[in-house]
Amino acid sequence: IGIIFSIMVALGFTKPLRKINNTALRLVDGEYSAKTNIRQKDEIGELASTIDILSERLYKADKERENLNKLRQDFLANISHELRTPVTIIRGSLEALNDQVVTQADQVEDYYKQMLDESIYLQRLVNDLLELSRLRNLDFNIDKESLNFSDVIDDTLRSVEYMAKNKNIIINSELDNRVFMMEGDYGRLRQMLLIILDNAIKFSPSGEKIDIDFKNGVLTIRDNGIGIPKEDLPYIFDRFTRIKTEENKKGTGLGLAIAKEIAQRHNIEISIDSEENIGTIVRLEIK
């Protein structure tokens, strides 16, 4: 009886330990979904639970790594695509001029204008990429100081006034918080608002209006523009996400990504609601 009891006790120890060892070996081989599935209220059970927690964390880390690799590949593919088109146009135009395929004065002028437009787009794209890269780097310091956010709004509205007048768009602003002090980088916050208001003006038909409301630390910008397709809305803050319309043919698809980075660096929650052919609402909530 003593021998049988000893064998049973030994098996009770060795069997779960063998399972733990096998699970650890599977984790070493990269099979991060492996689990011990041991439920015991003793030291062996605690060890098994620790291995299962490690397995879960390794699985999550592996999935995050896969997502980062996919994002990196998509990013490189998008950059290649965005750079290839203007470079191809500029080279084709230069070759046509160099080979004297185009000789008429008006055609030559058109080719020069096209190359200038494409080079301006390239410059804007490179600048936006550098800007986004700097903002995503946590080691990159932004100059924060005590400021009145209402002053930033007023300054931005003065800057976009000319653009709005050119499209006969009326901007109605109602600022309940004439003084709202916060710590922030004045220039970056102004840049964030310029990006959002520029989009509101760009995608609004002539003769429409844009309503701006700032109350209790929440800034709301509402337009009656073309809106954002439902399928594009979840990706609106992703790099190179761009609504393919005539109004946005010169956009780089980086503006809202930059705006979100600035918002996050200032502890501002930014969200967008939109309906196609009805309009868009952007909310900025200062935490």
Side-chain angles (χ1 to χ4, degrees):
I1 293 171
I3 292 171
I4 293 172
F5 180 74
S6 299
I7 292 172
M8 291 177 63
V9 170
L11 288 174
F13 278 106
T14 57
K15 187 176 179 180
L17 287 174
R18 205 177 299 118
K19 287 185 70 176
I20 291 172
N21 182 61
N22 290 336
T23 302
L25 290 174
R26 289 168 67 188
L27 292 175
V28 170
D29 291 336
E31 190 180 342
Y32 300 129
S33 60
K35 292 283 193 302
T36 63
N37 294 319
I38 295 173
R39 303 289 181 268
Q40 294 180 198
K41 294 182 178 180
D42 55 17
E43 288 80 0
I44 293 177
E46 288 181 9
L47 177 61
S49 177
T50 302
I51 292 292
D52 287 345
I53 292 172
L54 175 63
S55 168
E56 186 175 342
R57 291 182 179 177
L58 287 171
Y59 180 80
K60 288 180 179 178
D62 185 56
K63 288 299 178 184
E64 287 178 5
R65 181 183 58 81
E66 289 179 3
N67 289 335
L68 284 173
N69 285 336
K70 185 177 184 305
L71 286 172
R72 189 179 296 111
Q73 291 171 0
D74 291 345
F75 182 59
L76 291 173
N78 283 328
I79 289 178
S80 300
H81 174 74
E82 293 294 332
L83 292 175
R84 187 183 296 117
T85 302
V87 168
T88 302
I89 293 172
I90 291 172
R91 178 177 176 177
S93 299
L94 284 171
E95 287 177 347
L97 292 169
N98 185 63
D99 297 339
Q100 295 185 344
V101 175
V102 177
T103 56
Q104 294 182 11
D106 56 341
Q107 289 183 327
V108 170
E109 186 179 347
D110 287 341
Y111 271 65
Y112 279 131
K113 186 179 183 305
Q114 188 176 36
M115 286 190 293
L116 178 61
D117 289 342
E118 294 300 329
S119 63
I120 291 172
Y121 170 78
L122 273 176
Q123 183 183 36
R124 188 187 304 121
L125 177 61
V126 171
N127 287 340
D128 284 351
L129 284 169
L130 291 172
E131 188 81 351
L132 188 58
S133 177
R134 282 194 293 264
L135 287 168
R136 291 177 70 88
N137 183 4
L138 295 179
D139 293 331
F140 175 70
N141 291 324
I142 55 177
D143 300 323
K144 287 188 177 181
E145 59 182 0
S146 181
L147 56 84
N148 182 6
F149 190 65
S150 296
D151 290 342
V152 182
I153 299 172
D154 288 334
D155 189 5
T156 310
L157 289 176
R158 284 192 295 269
S159 298
V160 300
E161 186 178 355
Y162 179 75
M163 289 188 292
K165 280 185 177 179
N166 277 346
K167 290 190 69 173
N168 195 27
I169 290 175
I170 299 173
I171 298 180
N172 299 318
S173 61
E174 185 174 342
L175 278 62
D176 289 353
N177 300 115
R178 292 309 312 179
V179 177
F180 190 92
M181 303 305 295
M182 64 174 290
E183 291 290 319
D185 186 318
Y186 191 99
R188 292 293 182 184
L189 290 170
R190 183 176 177 276
Q191 179 187 10
M192 175 186 70
L193 296 182
L194 277 172
I195 290 169
I196 296 168
L197 285 170
D198 179 64
N199 282 342
I201 294 170
K202 184 193 302 181
F203 296 113
S204 292
S206 178
E208 277 293 347
K209 66 174 183 176
I210 296 171
D211 295 317
I212 297 173
D213 178 72
F214 183 47
K215 184 178 182 180
N216 297 328
V218 179
L219 176 64
T220 305
I221 301 171
R222 180 184 287 102
D223 67 59
N224 300 305
I226 61 175
I228 302 167
K230 188 176 181 180
E231 61 273 16
D232 293 336
L233 202 53
Y235 313 103
I236 200 65
F237 292 112
D238 292 351
R239 291 169 293 187
F240 296 108
T241 297
R242 184 172 62 188
I243 301 173
K244 295 176 175 60
T245 62
E246 183 65 22
E247 296 89 348
N248 202 32
K249 62 181 180 180
K250 293 184 179 180
T252 63
L254 296 171
L256 285 177
I258 291 173
K260 185 173 183 180
E261 290 294 332
I262 295 173
Q264 288 179 337
R265 294 292 290 270
H266 287 84
N267 200 25
I268 297 174
E269 184 178 337
I270 181 171
S271 62
I272 295 181
D273 293 321
S274 185
E275 286 189 58
E276 205 167 1
N277 301 319
I278 293 179
T280 301
I281 301 173
V282 181
R283 290 186 181 87
L284 297 162
E285 184 177 355
I286 303 172
K287 298 294 187 179

